[in-house]
Each structure stands twice: as C-alpha cells, then as structure tokens.
Amino acid sequence: MTSSSDRSLAVGVEGPKSYEIRTYGCQMNVHDSERLSGLLEQAGYVRAPEGSDGDADVVVFNTCAVRENADNRLYGNLGRLAPKKAGRPGMQIAVGGCLAQKDRDTIVKKAPWVDVVFGTHNIGKLPVLLERARVQEEAQVEIAESLEAFPSTLPTRRESAYAAWVSISVGCNNTCTFCIVPALRGKEKDRRPGDILAEVEALVAEGVSEITLLGQNVNAYGSDIGDREAFSKLLRACGKIEGLERVRFTSPHPRDFTDDVIAAMAETPNVMPQLHMPLQSGSDTVLKAMRRSYRQDRYLGIIEKVRAAIPHAAITTDIIVGFPGETEEDFEETLHVVREARFAQAFTFQYSKRPGTPAATMANQIPKEVVQARYERLVALQEEISWEENKKQVGRTLELMVAEGEGRKDGATHRLSGRAADNRLVHFTKPDQEVRPGDVVTVEITYAAPHHLLAEGAVLDVRRTRAGDAWEKRNAEKEAKSAGVMLGLPKIGVPAPLPVAAGSGCGCD
C-alpha cells in the first residue's frame, strides 16, 4: 500500500509529475512496462500525453539487450534527451531492462545525466530509486542478481480494458548460443497455479475477456514446481473460468511441447486455435550449433500432431537466417520446413551478434550480403505461403473480437478491425450500430492479402460484451479526468502481434 506521503513525492508545485516509458524488445518487456506504469501511478505520477517525445518529468527506458547495436541506440536516445533535461529542472531519466542488467555502471559512465539504473529483477524499486536520486542528487544504480519478488505482485496499469498479459513464469533454463536472455532474466521461476488463476479470475471480473499466458519458455511451466503436465492442466483450468472467452499463450519451445498440451488445446473451447512455435532453423546441423534441443523431424512431427487435432489452427514461427556456419544446404533445409509447415506468418530475422553470447565469437560468420540474399528468398517464399493460406479463409464466416489501433487505414476506409479466433487480422465494414473494442462481430471473409483479411459485406451479427462495457467505462473515466488537464490516452486494444521481421525481440523462444 502506498501512503499519502509516498504519493506526495510525485507532486510538484504545479501538480502531479508526468512520466513516459519507452519500451524495446519482447512481450515480457511490454508487460514489465505495464508494471512500471502501475508503480509510477501508484506513487502519484501521471502519464504524459502520447507523443510527448521526452517532454515529461520522468522518462524511463525499458531496454532490450539482444541486438548487436542495442547499446548504441540507447546512448543515442539518451544523448538526444540531455539538452531537454538541462532545460527542465527536476527532470529525471531512468534506464531499466535487460541492457541495464548487463551494462550496469557503464550506463552512468557513458551518460552521466541518467538518474537511475535498475535491472530485470528489481523493477519494483523504481519509485524509491527516483526519490533517492532526487534527495541525494546523485545517480542510483541498483541491480539485483536474482528475482526479489514475482513481478505479478506489483501494481499494473493494463494497456487494454478487455485483453491482458498474464505472466506464469520468468527466466529460462535453456542455453541457446544466440541468446543472452537467460543470463539477464535468470533461471526459470514458476508462479503457483492458484496465484495465476486468481489473477485471471480477477481480470475477468473487471471485464477482460482475453488473456495471453506469458513466459520466456511458456510451456516449460512446471519444471520449477515439479509437474511435467502443469501447463496443460493450467490451460484446462482456464477453460473453466466463466466469462473468459479467449486464451492464448506465447512463446512455447518445441523441446517441451508434449502431447498433453496438444490435447488440452484441442479439448478446451476457449483456448484459441493458434500456435506460435519458434523454428529458428530447419537444419539439424545449425540447430545443434544453436543448442536447440530438437531436430527437423521432431519439429515437423509436432506441427503434424497439432494440425491433426486442430485442423484450422494458424501456426506462426520465428526464423533466424545467416547463423554462423550456415551453408546453402542448411538454408535449403529451412526453406523445406517452411514449405512443409505452411506457416500463417513467420517472424524472420537476419542473424546479428548478441554481445556476451557464444554465437558472437563463433567462426564462419556469414557475410552480410549472403545473409541479405537468403533473407529475401525466405521472405518471398513465406509471403507466397501466407497469401495462399489466407485465401483459404475467403467465404468463411468468422467471429472477431473488435480491436482499436490495429487498422491504420480504418479511418479512411470506414472500416473497423478485429482478430479472429486464430489471431488473423480482419478489417471489416463499419456497421450502423455502435461497436466497441472488446465486442464480438460475425463477418464473412471476402478478400485475402498476405497479412490481413477483408470482410467487405455487411456485418452479420454484433454481440455487445462485458469487455466492451469495460472499454467504454475506462474511456469515460479518462475523458472525465482529461476535462481539466490533458493526461493523454493510452493505446487501447488487444496486445498486438509484432510485425513481420520485428518478431518477439529476444529471439530466445
């Protein structure tokens, strides 16, 4: 509980202090930023208007460390904020996340105008560290070596009124040679099933109708508590929660993807027919060099079992092109798996060195021009398959959960956008009656493109939902608050899949 004296720390002469959070990387970072927002608002800060671009009393960078030049981008952004801070007395800058966990004191040495550096294990300390930096007038660097408390115990400012991330574990026990995340997030720690289900039930009571179970290696859940079937049991338990319409999860690892999970997906009505299953490479030789504990046959076998149990499942993946030592024959094996698996989408990456990973120092680094050429061939193949798979949806009648902010051209085209059960993005004709984000509409698909579908005819049915009510209530409260002081409205909507070629960020899945 935050006391009134704690809240007063974030209130200046002209009213509450504002904050802005800039998030980089994976879904775990996105969810951590929701917690950072909750912590700051509990401490009395208010969110700066959208697009404030550093014009806030506190600017927080929630960083990612998995790209080759992640540190250069961070210091460039910090450099651009230095003159703003110099001209704004009392402004503070904080850096957290994976890069902060890795670089620690280096950040303050390179950017001495930074006030707070905190790591992945102690995000709950941010408000205290900001106040300590203000009082002591010196930078505060505090990096915990292990998790202090499971982050879901922290206050959270949910970005959506009707869809939510629910973290079931943190950390990872894998040792993939391209990934630094286990070193920065630590070994896997699982939440108790009862705590997870209590959070889901509380969210549903608030109007949430879709949840995404989140973990660095989500289907390894149970390894920390000694139950190999814990994840499938969790999926089935979510199926019994009244009012919970959609359950998703990300990202699983092929090593831990067992038959009981496939059965739970197929037999639990609110678990959606969608699976994101990272491949990384189709070559057994490259998979071995990556320390991925499966091979091509095992991967394709999982896809075959999922399709047998859930025929309409949309399967997506992550692929890395140009891993050290990858030959043309290795790359052809990846193309073979793509043709066989027929992914709905693929998040494709050109390999880049992650400082601190074994792969960064491996021999036979692939020339940039070779990686680029292979990447373009892969993208062209996947675009063709995505389009062919989407064309199979034409003529189908689908239920969509209405979203906001997912259709960039919706205003000009007089359309709305939503997600089908399999997470395909559908743009549909705006009906005459009011439709709110979180409501459900039924449409017939009339056109397919590689990355979206269109329903150009009239909406067949509109179902107003408790989730839509929750969205409407939240917006009404925001409008009431903004009548006096514009605080800025957050982006509302289902946690959106990241764009092709951006992917999950960490690439550790």
Side-chain angles (χ1 to χ4, degrees):
M1 182 66 70
T2 302
S3 68
S4 58
S5 60
D6 291 331
R7 287 183 177 274
S8 68
L9 301 179
V11 179
V13 175
E14 298 179 356
K17 294 182 180 180
S18 60
Y19 75 90
E20 174 191 343
I21 297 178
R22 301 184 185 184
T23 308
Y24 305 89
C26 65
Q27 296 97 329
M28 193 69 74
N29 269 18
V30 173
H31 192 25
D32 280 349
S33 288
E34 290 186 324
R35 297 184 180 113
L36 292 170
S37 293
L39 284 161
L40 291 171
E41 293 190 8
Q42 187 183 64
Y45 294 85
V46 297
R47 192 169 187 160
E50 191 170 335
S52 59
D53 193 24
D55 189 19
D57 295 301
V58 172
V59 179
V60 183
F61 290 84
N62 190 7
T63 64
C64 175
V66 302
R67 294 296 181 188
E68 185 175 9
N69 296 315
D71 54 348
N72 291 337
R73 288 195 295 273
L74 171 65
Y75 295 122
N77 287 326
L78 289 174
R80 284 188 284 275
L81 276 188
K84 285 194 175 185
K85 184 179 180 186
R88 185 176 181 134
M91 179 180 175
Q92 292 183 295
I93 299 172
V95 179
C98 288
L99 191 61
Q101 187 79 21
K102 182 173 77 74
D103 283 2
R104 308 182 181 216
D105 295 321
T106 304
I107 293 172
V108 174
K109 290 177 182 176
K110 289 187 175 182
W113 54 94
V114 169
D115 299 276
V116 170
V117 178
F118 62 100
T120 58
H121 299 308
N122 64 330
I123 63 175
K125 291 289 187 66
L126 176 60
V128 172
L129 293 172
L130 287 168
E131 178 60 14
R132 194 186 300 165
R134 185 185 69 81
V135 172
Q136 297 182 7
E137 297 183 342
E138 64 180 10
Q140 301 296 310
V141 178
E142 187 170 308
I143 306 292
E145 297 302 330
S146 59
L147 197 65
E148 295 183 346
F150 202 93
S152 287
T153 61
L154 299 173
T156 303
R157 184 195 195 281
R158 301 279 179 178
E159 290 299 314
S160 170
Y162 59 90
W165 306 108
V166 175
S167 184
I168 70 171
S169 64
V170 295
C172 180
N173 295 333
N174 293 318
T175 57
C176 302
T177 55
F178 56 79
C179 182
I180 198 171
V181 170
L184 304 178
R185 290 276 183 180
K187 293 292 185 181
E188 180 178 324
K189 295 292 182 183
D190 295 336
R191 293 177 72 188
R192 289 173 35 168
D195 293 341
I196 297 168
L197 293 172
E199 181 180 353
V200 174
E201 289 170 350
L203 288 166
V204 171
E206 294 171 3
V208 168
S209 61
E210 175 176 319
I211 61 109
T212 301
L213 302 175
L214 186 61
Q216 219 77 52
N217 182 8
V218 71
N219 62 318
Y221 177 74
S223 62
D224 184 44
I225 57 179
D227 184 354
R228 291 181 59 84
E229 295 189 353
F231 186 62
S232 62
K233 292 175 183 175
L234 183 62
L235 291 177
R236 292 183 186 276
C238 286
K240 297 176 182 177
I241 296 176
E242 187 175 352
L244 179 59
E245 297 194 18
R246 294 185 170 191
V247 178
R248 306 186 192 277
F249 57 88
T250 193
S251 288
H253 191 295
R255 182 194 67 181
D256 302 300
F257 208 84
T258 48
D259 290 349
D260 61 297
V261 173
I262 297 174
M265 292 177 65
E267 296 165 9
T268 309
N270 64 356
V271 175
M272 294 295 95
Q274 172 221 347
L275 175 64
H276 184 75
M277 178 70 78
L279 169 66
Q280 308 302 8
S281 174
S283 162
D284 288 353
T285 301
V286 174
L287 289 171
K288 183 177 180 180
M290 288 178 168
R291 287 193 205 143
R292 301 286 286 180
S293 49
Y294 57 88
R295 298 296 178 258
Q296 182 187 117
D297 285 349
R298 159 75 173 151
Y299 186 92
L300 288 174
I302 293 171
I303 301 299
E304 184 178 356
K305 288 181 179 179
V306 170
R307 290 245 164 83
I310 315 167
H312 290 299
I315 300 174
T316 58
T317 196
D318 295 334
I319 301 174
I320 296 173
V321 178
F323 188 80
E326 180 188 73
T327 64
E328 179 62 25
E329 290 75 20
D330 292 324
F331 179 65
E332 286 291 343
E333 288 297 308
T334 296
L335 297 182
H336 168 71
V337 175
V338 169
R339 294 186 186 101
E340 290 292 310
R342 300 196 65 79
F343 300 113
Q345 293 277 322
F347 299 94
T348 50
F349 306 85
Q350 296 186 41
Y351 171 77
S352 62
K353 293 181 181 179
R354 273 77 164 176
T357 63
T361 57
M362 284 182 176
N364 299 319
Q365 300 283 328
I366 310 300
K368 172 66 177 175
E369 61 273 16
V370 175
V371 177
Q372 181 67 34
R374 289 176 183 170
Y375 174 80
E376 290 173 1
R377 288 163 58 195
L378 173 62
V379 168
L381 173 62
Q382 182 56 52
E383 288 275 304
E384 178 184 328
I385 292 172
S386 293
W387 200 359
E388 290 172 357
E389 291 301 304
N390 274 357
K391 286 177 182 177
K392 295 177 183 177
Q393 305 297 311
V394 174
R396 291 190 66 196
T397 298
L398 302 179
E399 269 199 346
L400 313 177
M401 180 176 288
V402 181
E404 183 173 84
E406 297 230 42
R408 289 174 296 177
K409 299 179 181 178
D410 282 353
T413 58
H414 303 290
R415 293 178 179 138
L416 298 175
S417 297
R419 291 279 171 179
D422 64 9
N423 212 35
R424 282 183 165 92
L425 177 63
V426 182
H427 306 301
F428 62 95
T429 301
K430 188 174 182 179
D432 293 334
Q433 66 192 100
E434 180 190 23
V435 179
R436 308 160 301 177
D439 286 339
V440 174
V441 299
T442 303
V443 301
E444 181 180 337
I445 304 303
T446 58
Y447 175 81
H451 303 296
H452 69 267
L453 303 170
L454 290 182
E456 298 163 299
V459 169
L460 303 178
D461 184 60
V462 174
R463 176 164 61 87
R464 291 173 69 86
T465 65
R466 290 174 59 253
D469 294 342
W471 181 89
E472 188 172 7
K473 179 181 177 183
R474 178 187 279 197
N475 266 24
E477 290 172 350
K478 289 193 182 82
E479 288 173 8
K481 287 181 180 178
S482 64
V485 179
M486 288 299 294
L487 304 183
L489 300 182
K491 180 179 177 182
I492 303 296
V494 174
L498 296 166
V500 173
S504 60
C506 63
C508 64
D509 302 314

